[in-house]
Amino acid sequence: MPSASASRRSQEKPREIMDAAEDYAKERYGVSSMIQSQEKPDRVLVRVSDLTVHRADEVIWVRARVHTSRAKGKQCFLVLRQQQFNVQALVAVGDHASKQMVKFAANINKESIVDIEGVVRKVNQKIGSCTQQDVELHVQKIYVISLAEPRLPLQLDDAVRPEVEGEEVKTIFLKYCASSEGRATVNQDTRLDNRVIDLRTSTSQAVFRLQSGICQLFRETLINKGFVEIQTPKIISAASEGGANVFTVSYFKNNAYLAQSPQLYKQMCICADFEKVFCIGPVFRAEDSNTHRHLTEFVGLDIEMAFNYHYHEVVEEIADTLVQIFKGLQERFQTEIRTVNKQFPCEPFKFLEPTLRLEYCEALAMLREAGIEMGDEEDLSTPNEKLLGRLVKEKYDTDFYILDKYPLAVRPFYTMPDPRNPKQSNSYDMFMRGEEILSGAQRIHDPQLLTERALHHGIGLERVTMLFLGLHNVRQTSMFPRDPKRLTP
Amino acid sequence: MPSASASRRSQEKPREIMDAAEDYAKERYGVSSMIQSQEKPDRVLVRVSDLTVHRADEVIWVRARVHTSRAKGKQCFLVLRQQQFNVQALVAVGDHASKQMVKFAANINKESIVDIEGVVRKVNQKIGSCTQQDVELHVQKIYVISLAEPRLPLQLDDAVRPEVEGEEVKTIFLKYCASSEGRATVNQDTRLDNRVIDLRTSTSQAVFRLQSGICQLFRETLINKGFVEIQTPKIISAASEGGANVFTVSYFKNNAYLAQSPQLYKQMCICADFEKVFCIGPVFRAEDSNTHRHLTEFVGLDIEMAFNYHYHEVVEEIADTLVQIFKGLQERFQTEIRTVNKQFPCEPFKFLEPTLRLEYCEALAMLREAGIEMGDEEDLSTPNEKLLGRLVKEKYDTDFYILDKYPLAVRPFYTMPDPRNPKQSNSYDMFMRGEEILSGAQRIHDPQLLTERALHHGIGLERVTMLFLGLHNVRQTSMFPRDPKRLTP
């Protein structure tokens, strides 16, 4: 901080430095006093991601976390981290830094926030351990803005170590374990118990930026298509889907329930002439399932629209919405995708435009050709869904497709039969990387609600993020996940 | 529907028409069979809002609701409604319509959905009762797509009748009552008990389109400012604000609670280096308040950001976000504002750019000049807030302003004192039309969470919509409101 508070700052320096009267750099470092909105300095803080050769030889200010610090003779190397980006900084005894200042820098606890003034210098050899590989920062001033605790419950370097496939699931029940290369990784429960620190990792920073992008692209696309965003109540008077898996709420002197889906309210909006609506909001399921893909609370991306003549109008609109999301993510979130892939290597997500629509009988033929024995009116098992995903990828080069015209026998009684083939139905699922993300059907005319022409659809935000990025646990894509055993943080 | 299903359709005509063998128009009207996704006709359905003189003499198809129908000799006048728009249609005996067809049209229940083929004709005298005043539709074919019940629980014309100020509140306790002009209006409970029909009124269609716009503009503005959208859990393990006014949930074998605000989670995101986050989601308050402005569940627009040097950085960012919302609404939602104003006349919402920031002591001076006696460290009462709103409007011509530097004595203990005046605090409220919509403060450093530099803010979506449009009851701006007495629909 500037000179006005310099005297107070110096009082907070460690005693050993205070004693060293000969410290010629003593105004250039220290622990800053509390920010009390006293001054608004003119200083511009540069983003770490902006530190490139284009700024070579400029003197700049940066505010970042101390990711690591390592003293080496008269020098101290710091890695400064800001969200997904980091840069190396050097404090070296010389005109600007005294040996006390180097020692001060070397003793700053990891994860403390610092303000640094420094010169951007081009380096001859790329710095492989940082995202900003072509420059380093030669420190002229360093002030601690927020001092971190000396011991952290998990190490950020351990938390971003690349994991081999399947290991994530395996390590859920281990506290700290060695990866296949013999180095420490951090298990899911430790991460979640210390979520604030875990969310600082470059991987988490990228996952939740990309997730924000999914919501943004979903809305952008639908608003451009003439949809209206609605807000539906979560406290309801009767369980929405039969009464199973519903949470009960004490509501004044009575009971109420948490909505398992916004379906009823979306349908009411269609009957109320809104024609095309969507909502994004929490959905609650009281299922005692402790798997990698179940949560008791998740975020539903929900669509409801009336169609004029044929339910394929709706299917096409939804498939196109997902395609617009995938395209938008690949156009605008390449940095985030690359950051996540460093820890979780994964094939880029492939899709076709327009989306592949496969009829159920075609899928059956593909599975039979691959040696699977299945009856014409038999449903797909989870392993067969996965296998079909791989077969479709080989044949059509897409990770996303629609499976249409399910046998009527495997769908609920209110599903509309196909008018041309009474054994088939006007119903379909959508798949990403061989996992179902959405199930839809035309419903038989309901005279009370007039929902004949409406289709409902809900997509789980966490699951779509997980499958797009090829992650292995839905808890990685829920900031503060809820499951039967977890209500914190 | 097209000729393929004509024979089935004719079977569904009333017997009296069936018997009339001489009906030369019998293929041109009827009740359509169920839509079963059999055909995808090439037909383009024109929007009612598109029916203007630019389409004069074109033959078009339209799908709309029958708002009213009135027979008059050999003619039948229909008003066709679609969302906020309506147009007059005429079925007259002649080349295209027989007298049976006119009778059929006259007998269609109000609120039925019809497909109509007709010629757009310019009219000589403006049709004052419709939004499309310059044309009418000369009907050549008319098919009922969805037949409404003959009796409706409320009349749409009654539900959009202009109300004099204050009457809304007055009529809450009356079932059906006469307005000051002696005509029926519909009270709030009847509306809510029959929400699907009430939401079809042009006013409701406009209110919820504008509300969708508020969410859209809020997100657009914040994403452009570098914010990340987050999703926070609604089921939590401990009551967030002291334990009062919290709903209890049965969570497997234990209890959990519904979140009263996303504040804790937003703050954790700031500590996790997201820097700027926002969320839109439900907020729950177990308050037994039955007023025009309280709900047990509402939608919070929440912002949290770290600032670098001064809390005014945040205050300015939030005020600018609201200004961008107001500007966007006035630019993109004029149709909706005009529609609502027909039923609820109201002065256009005024604001300044940049936003007026008034210090508490200045506000005190204005109130004292208006004859109010108040101490320096006394809080504002609700009537004084309203009065101040009027004084500010007179003096500065704005409906939106920030009241900054509240006396420390009237704010919570953790509020940061003003470093220059220990009796003042770094805290403020924002007002729309004299009602508080947002309260904010810099918090004293919290070493555990490092929240020194973060400010939290939540805006109620329903309340902002109500105040922007100058409406009188927050239930008008919540699609499916929840209060201590209402959990349905």
Side-chain angles (χ1 to χ4, degrees):
Chain A
M1 303 300 299
S3 53
S5 54
S7 62
R8 191 183 316 161
R9 188 189 314 129
S10 63
Q11 286 164 20
E12 296 171 26
K13 286 182 199 172
R15 175 144 307 275
E16 56 179 317
I17 294 174
M18 283 293 291
D19 291 344
E22 81 283 16
D23 185 0
Y24 56 87
K26 68 183 174 189
E27 295 299 318
R28 297 183 166 273
Y29 64 97
V31 176
S32 180
S33 62
M34 184 160 72
I35 291 175
Q36 215 183 0
S37 297
Q38 189 134 19
E39 300 132 10
K40 277 196 223 181
D42 247 349
R43 187 183 299 167
V44 174
L45 296 170
V46 173
R47 307 294 299 173
V48 169
S49 56
D50 270 356
L51 294 176
T52 63
V53 287
H54 297 99
R55 290 191 170 268
D57 305 322
E58 280 182 38
V59 177
I60 58 97
W61 278 95
V62 70
R63 177 172 291 182
R65 288 209 187 260
V66 174
H67 185 68
T68 59
S69 82
R70 181 169 51 90
K72 199 176 164 184
K74 293 183 167 176
Q75 296 184 320
C76 172
F77 289 93
L78 303 168
V79 174
L80 303 176
R81 193 188 73 239
Q82 191 176 59
Q83 298 173 341
Q84 294 173 75
F85 307 97
N86 52 30
V87 68
Q88 181 167 280
L90 171 64
V91 196
V93 173
D95 285 354
H96 292 99
S98 58
K99 63 178 201 270
Q100 293 92 331
M101 180 166 154
V102 172
K103 191 170 178 186
F104 173 83
N107 285 329
I108 298 173
N109 295 337
K110 280 194 218 181
E111 295 301 301
S112 297
I113 300 173
V114 291
D115 271 8
I116 282 182
E117 186 197 67
V119 188
V120 182
R121 294 285 186 210
K122 199 167 177 304
V123 292
N124 295 325
Q125 230 181 343
K126 276 187 188 291
I127 302 170
S129 57
C130 288
T131 60
Q132 310 313 105
Q133 309 203 326
D134 302 321
V135 297
E136 66 181 4
L137 202 57
H138 289 204
V139 176
Q140 298 184 340
K141 294 180 183 163
I142 179 166
Y143 304 111
V144 173
I145 296 295
S146 175
L147 192 64
E149 298 290 316
R151 289 180 61 88
L152 294 172
L154 60 92
Q155 298 303 311
L156 273 85
D157 273 342
D158 298 340
V160 294
R161 196 146 285 150
E163 289 178 10
V164 290
E165 193 167 346
E167 184 153 33
E168 179 61 29
V169 181
K170 211 173 70 197
T171 58
I172 282 179
F173 303 103
L174 300 168
K175 191 81 183 167
Y176 252 84
C177 76
S179 76
S180 52
E181 293 141 65
R183 288 179 300 183
T185 57
V186 183
N187 78 57
Q188 192 69 59
D189 271 336
T190 308
R191 287 175 192 277
L192 293 178
D193 289 338
N194 302 282
R195 194 56 158 167
V196 164
I197 297 172
D198 185 51
L199 286 176
R200 285 185 200 153
T201 61
S202 52
T203 304
S204 296
Q205 289 285 323
V207 166
F208 293 102
R209 282 187 158 69
L210 183 122
Q211 191 169 80
S212 173
I214 292 177
C215 294
Q216 182 187 346
L217 289 159
F218 181 75
R219 292 190 192 99
E220 256 180 43
T221 307
L222 292 176
I223 285 167
N224 287 340
K225 289 175 189 283
F227 280 73
V228 174
E229 179 176 11
I230 58 166
Q231 309 291 338
T232 65
K234 305 307 164 201
I235 303 182
I236 54 176
S237 61
S240 36
E241 289 178 2
N245 305 331
V246 64
F247 288 114
T248 306
V249 181
S250 302
Y251 197 79
F252 301 99
K253 285 174 182 150
N254 294 302
N255 277 341
Y257 306 93
L258 290 182
Q260 295 157 296
S261 91
Q263 190 182 322
L264 174 65
Y265 298 97
K266 290 188 306 173
Q267 286 176 351
M268 289 171 75
C269 287
I270 300 304
C271 301
D273 294 347
F274 281 91
E275 293 186 15
K276 297 172 163 191
V277 298
F278 72 91
C279 55
I280 297 186
V283 173
F284 305 92
R285 301 281 162 89
E287 289 175 10
D288 198 356
S289 304
N290 294 278
T291 76
H292 80 286
R293 50 179 263 165
H294 283 90
L295 296 173
T296 54
E297 176 178 349
F298 62 92
V299 176
L301 306 177
D302 274 274
I303 296 180
E304 189 98 14
M305 67 181 276
F307 63 89
N308 291 323
Y309 303 110
H310 198 292
Y311 79 101
H312 281 173
E313 294 167 28
V314 182
V315 177
E316 283 158 18
E317 196 94 306
I318 292 173
D320 181 64
T321 301
L322 280 158
V323 164
Q324 298 312 319
I325 292 173
F326 302 146
K327 277 166 82 168
L329 291 177
Q330 292 184 343
E331 278 163 22
R332 304 188 210 165
F333 292 86
Q334 267 310 324
T335 307
E336 283 70 22
I337 294 170
R338 272 197 302 271
T339 302
V340 176
N341 284 348
K342 272 187 215 159
Q343 184 171 5
F344 298 96
C346 174
E347 294 282 303
F349 191 82
K350 293 261 188 110
F351 55 92
L352 301 175
E353 201 176 356
T355 302
L356 172 67
R357 190 174 60 79
L358 202 66
E359 297 216 348
Y360 198 84
C361 53
E362 299 172 66
L364 274 186
M366 285 170 75
L367 283 167
R368 283 169 182 161
E369 204 173 309
I372 304 292
E373 287 179 30
M374 271 183 72
D376 281 348
E377 295 184 46
E378 196 178 321
D379 206 357
L380 287 174
S381 65
T382 305
N384 283 346
E385 280 182 355
K386 279 266 183 198
L387 172 60
L388 183 61
R390 284 198 296 276
L391 297 174
V392 168
K393 179 76 177 277
E394 271 168 35
K395 186 165 175 184
Y396 297 100
D397 199 29
T398 178
D399 286 305
F400 174 60
Y401 71 99
I402 305 160
L403 192 54
D404 195 17
K405 299 285 173 197
Y406 270 70
L408 194 59
V410 305
R411 303 297 253 195
F413 70 92
Y414 48 73
T415 309
M416 181 73 79
D418 182 334
R420 294 185 185 157
N421 180 345
K423 293 201 158 187
Q424 291 184 356
S425 65
N426 286 350
S427 75
Y428 62 93
D429 285 356
M430 292 190 190
F431 289 87
M432 281 175 72
R433 299 195 196 261
E435 287 195 41
E436 183 228 303
I437 56 156
L438 179 151
S439 188
Q442 185 180 358
R443 296 200 153 200
I444 291 177
H445 183 90
D446 172 347
Q448 202 66 46
L449 283 174
L450 313 173
T451 54
E452 177 193 345
R453 291 175 304 111
L455 274 85
H456 72 96
H457 304 83
I459 307 167
L461 177 60
E462 297 84 354
R463 199 175 281 188
V464 168
T465 313
M466 172 177 82
L467 293 170
F468 182 85
L469 289 171
L471 297 173
H472 311 308
N473 191 319
V474 77
R475 286 163 190 77
Q476 292 170 311
T477 58
S478 170
M479 254 192 188
F480 306 103
R482 265 57 186 132
D483 61 37
K485 302 214 165 76
R486 178 171 290 280
L487 268 173
T488 55
Chain B
M1 301 300 297
S3 55
S5 54
S7 63
R8 190 182 317 159
R9 190 190 314 130
S10 65
Q11 288 164 18
E12 297 172 28
K13 287 180 197 170
R15 177 146 304 274
E16 53 179 320
I17 295 173
M18 283 292 292
D19 292 343
E22 80 283 13
D23 184 0
Y24 56 87
K26 67 183 177 190
E27 296 299 319
R28 296 183 166 274
Y29 65 97
V31 176
S32 181
S33 62
M34 184 161 71
I35 291 174
Q36 214 184 2
S37 295
Q38 189 135 18
E39 300 131 8
K40 278 197 220 179
D42 247 351
R43 187 182 299 167
V44 174
L45 295 170
V46 173
R47 308 293 299 174
V48 169
S49 57
D50 270 356
L51 295 175
T52 63
V53 287
H54 297 99
R55 288 190 171 267
D57 305 322
E58 281 183 38
V59 177
I60 59 98
W61 278 95
V62 70
R63 177 173 291 181
R65 287 207 190 260
V66 174
H67 186 68
T68 60
S69 82
R70 182 168 50 90
K72 199 179 165 183
K74 292 183 169 176
Q75 295 183 323
C76 172
F77 289 93
L78 303 167
V79 174
L80 303 176
R81 193 188 73 238
Q82 191 175 60
Q83 299 174 343
Q84 294 173 75
F85 307 98
N86 52 30
V87 68
Q88 180 166 285
L90 171 63
V91 196
V93 174
D95 285 354
H96 292 99
S98 56
K99 63 180 201 271
Q100 292 92 333
M101 179 167 154
V102 171
K103 191 169 177 186
F104 173 83
N107 285 328
I108 298 172
N109 295 336
K110 280 193 217 182
E111 295 301 302
S112 297
I113 300 174
V114 292
D115 272 10
I116 282 182
E117 186 197 68
V119 188
V120 182
R121 294 286 186 209
K122 198 165 177 304
V123 291
N124 295 326
Q125 228 179 344
K126 276 188 189 290
I127 302 170
S129 56
C130 289
T131 60
Q132 310 312 105
Q133 309 203 324
D134 302 320
V135 296
E136 66 181 3
L137 201 57
H138 289 203
V139 177
Q140 299 183 339
K141 294 180 183 164
I142 179 165
Y143 304 112
V144 173
I145 296 296
S146 176
L147 192 63
E149 298 289 316
R151 289 181 61 87
L152 295 171
L154 60 90
Q155 298 304 312
L156 272 86
D157 272 342
D158 298 340
V160 295
R161 196 146 284 151
E163 290 178 8
V164 290
E165 193 167 349
E167 184 154 31
E168 179 62 27
V169 181
K170 211 173 69 198
T171 58
I172 282 177
F173 303 103
L174 301 168
K175 191 80 184 165
Y176 251 84
C177 74
S179 77
S180 53
E181 293 141 65
R183 288 179 300 183
T185 59
V186 183
N187 79 58
Q188 192 70 59
D189 271 336
T190 307
R191 287 175 192 277
L192 294 177
D193 290 338
N194 302 282
R195 194 56 158 167
V196 164
I197 297 172
D198 185 51
L199 286 176
R200 285 186 201 151
T201 61
S202 52
T203 305
S204 295
Q205 290 286 322
V207 166
F208 293 102
R209 281 187 159 69
L210 184 122
Q211 191 169 78
S212 173
I214 292 176
C215 293
Q216 182 187 347
L217 289 158
F218 181 76
R219 293 191 190 98
E220 257 179 43
T221 307
L222 292 175
I223 285 168
N224 286 341
K225 288 174 188 286
F227 280 74
V228 174
E229 179 177 11
I230 58 166
Q231 309 291 339
T232 66
K234 306 307 163 199
I235 302 182
I236 56 176
S237 62
S240 35
E241 288 178 5
N245 306 332
V246 64
F247 288 113
T248 305
V249 181
S250 300
Y251 196 81
F252 303 99
K253 285 172 183 152
N254 295 302
N255 277 342
Y257 307 93
L258 290 182
Q260 294 157 296
S261 90
Q263 190 182 321
L264 174 65
Y265 297 97
K266 290 188 306 171
Q267 286 176 350
M268 288 171 75
C269 287
I270 300 305
C271 301
D273 293 348
F274 282 91
E275 291 185 16
K276 297 172 163 191
V277 297
F278 72 92
C279 55
I280 297 187
V283 174
F284 305 92
R285 300 283 161 89
E287 287 175 10
D288 199 356
S289 304
N290 294 277
T291 76
H292 80 288
R293 49 179 265 165
H294 283 90
L295 296 174
T296 53
E297 176 178 350
F298 62 92
V299 175
L301 304 178
D302 273 274
I303 296 180
E304 189 97 14
M305 67 180 277
F307 63 88
N308 291 324
Y309 303 110
H310 199 292
Y311 79 101
H312 280 174
E313 295 166 28
V314 183
V315 177
E316 283 158 19
E317 197 94 305
I318 292 172
D320 180 63
T321 300
L322 281 158
V323 164
Q324 297 312 319
I325 292 173
F326 302 146
K327 278 167 80 168
L329 291 178
Q330 292 184 343
E331 278 163 21
R332 302 187 211 166
F333 292 86
Q334 267 311 324
T335 306
E336 283 70 21
I337 294 169
R338 271 197 302 270
T339 301
V340 176
N341 284 348
K342 272 187 216 160
Q343 183 172 7
F344 298 97
C346 173
E347 294 282 302
F349 191 82
K350 293 263 189 107
F351 55 91
L352 301 174
E353 199 176 358
T355 302
L356 171 68
R357 192 173 60 78
L358 202 66
E359 297 217 347
Y360 198 85
C361 53
E362 298 171 67
L364 274 185
M366 286 169 75
L367 284 167
R368 283 170 182 159
E369 202 172 309
I372 303 294
E373 286 179 29
M374 273 184 69
D376 282 348
E377 296 184 45
E378 196 179 320
D379 206 356
L380 287 174
S381 64
T382 306
N384 283 346
E385 281 182 355
K386 280 267 182 196
L387 172 60
L388 183 61
R390 285 197 297 274
L391 297 173
V392 169
K393 179 75 178 277
E394 271 168 36
K395 185 166 176 184
Y396 298 101
D397 199 30
T398 179
D399 286 305
F400 174 60
Y401 72 99
I402 305 160
L403 191 55
D404 196 18
K405 298 285 174 199
Y406 269 71
L408 194 59
V410 305
R411 302 297 253 195
F413 68 93
Y414 47 74
T415 308
M416 181 73 80
D418 182 334
R420 294 184 185 157
N421 180 344
K423 293 202 159 187
Q424 290 184 355
S425 65
N426 287 351
S427 74
Y428 61 93
D429 285 356
M430 293 190 190
F431 290 87
M432 282 175 72
R433 298 194 196 262
E435 288 194 40
E436 183 227 305
I437 56 155
L438 180 150
S439 186
Q442 185 180 359
R443 295 199 155 201
I444 291 178
H445 183 92
D446 171 348
Q448 200 66 47
L449 283 174
L450 313 174
T451 56
E452 176 193 346
R453 294 175 302 111
L455 274 84
H456 73 95
H457 303 84
I459 307 168
L461 177 60
E462 296 84 354
R463 198 174 281 187
V464 168
T465 313
M466 173 177 80
L467 292 170
F468 182 85
L469 288 171
L471 296 173
H472 312 309
N473 189 320
V474 77
R475 285 163 191 77
Q476 294 169 309
T477 59
S478 170
M479 254 193 188
F480 305 103
R482 271 35 188 154
D483 61 36
K485 301 215 166 77
R486 177 173 290 282
L487 269 173
T488 56

